[in-house]
Amino acid sequence: MPMRAPRIEFAVGAFLLLALASLLVLALASTNGRWGLGGDTYDLTARFSTIGALRPNAPIKIGGVSIGHVDKIDVDPVKFDTVVTLAIDKRYDKLPADTAASILTSGLLGESYVNLAPGGDPENLKPGDEIYLTQSAVDLIQLVGKYMFSGGGAKPADNAGQPSGQDAALPDYLQGESAPTDETQKP
C-alpha cells in the first residue's frame, strides 16, 4: 500500500501542471500576442453611425491579413456618431489618404473586424489622421426581419396581364365559385 501513494501524488501533480499550462496557453491566446506594450503602433480614427458587435481589441485587416487592432471606441458628444480609434502596426505606415474603412463580420455569426481598403492617393495617412470613407456595420437581424416581413422581396412594377381588383393576388382556385373568370368579365 505505501508504494502507491507516490504514484498518485505524481499523477495529481502532473495533472495540475497540465491544467496550469493550459491556462497559460489560453491567457496568451486571449491577448492576441500583445502584452499591453503597444509601442509599435500608430493611431488613426474613423467615424461610423453603427458599429454592430465591434469591440476593443478587434482586428483590423487588409485583404484578410491582420495589421492592427481596435484601440478604443467612443461616442462624439456633438455629432453622436461612434469614433473608433485604430492602432495600426508601424510597418503599415504608408496607407493612402483615401483608404476606406468598413465594419465586417467573419462568417455569418463570427467576430466583427475593421476592414481597410487602400485607395490610390499619393498622400499617406499620418498618425492621428481620420479615415473619412467609412461604411457602418450591417445588422443581420434587422436585415432578416425586413426581408421576412416585407413579403420576401419587391412587388413587380408592371401589373400588365394581371387581373385587377381586391382578389388579384389570389389564384383562381382560391377565389371561390362566385369569383368572376375571364369569360364572365367580358361584356
Side-chain angles (χ1 to χ4, degrees), residues 1-13:
M1 204 71 152
M3 295 296 245
R4 288 190 149 191
R7 287 185 183 171
I8 292 175
E9 289 175 5
F10 178 75
V12 169

Side-chain angles (χ1 to χ4, degrees), residues 23-165:
L23 287 175
L24 181 64
V25 168
L26 285 174
L28 289 174
S30 68
T31 62
N32 292 329
R34 291 187 302 274
W35 296 90
L37 304 173
D40 291 20
T41 62
Y42 67 98
D43 288 344
L44 298 175
T45 59
R47 293 176 179 268
F48 298 96
S49 60
T50 312
I51 62 166
L54 187 70
R55 301 287 177 250
N57 290 324
I60 300 168
K61 298 180 180 183
I62 293 179
V65 177
S66 182
I67 64 158
H69 66 279
V70 173
D71 191 33
K72 64 181 177 178
I73 300 172
D74 295 316
V75 174
D76 183 348
V78 176
K79 295 182 181 178
F80 297 108
D81 52 2
T82 307
V83 179
V84 178
T85 303
L86 311 172
I88 309 291
D89 291 343
K90 287 261 189 205
R91 61 185 169 168
Y92 303 107
D93 61 349
K94 303 278 190 247
L95 288 174
D98 60 346
T99 297
S102 56
I103 299 175
L104 302 176
T105 305
S106 298
L108 186 59
L109 299 173
E111 72 172 342
S112 292
Y113 65 94
V114 177
N115 185 60
L116 297 181
D121 196 328
E123 294 291 321
N124 294 329
L125 290 167
K126 295 172 188 59
D129 281 354
E130 182 173 335
I131 297 174
Y132 291 103
L133 302 170
T134 61
Q135 179 181 358
S136 296
V138 176
D139 187 3
L140 290 176
I141 302 299
Q142 185 179 18
L143 196 62
V144 169
K146 280 184 181 179
Y147 180 76
M148 287 177 57
F149 297 115
S150 70
K155 293 187 171 46
D158 184 19
N159 291 335
Q162 294 182 1
S164 61

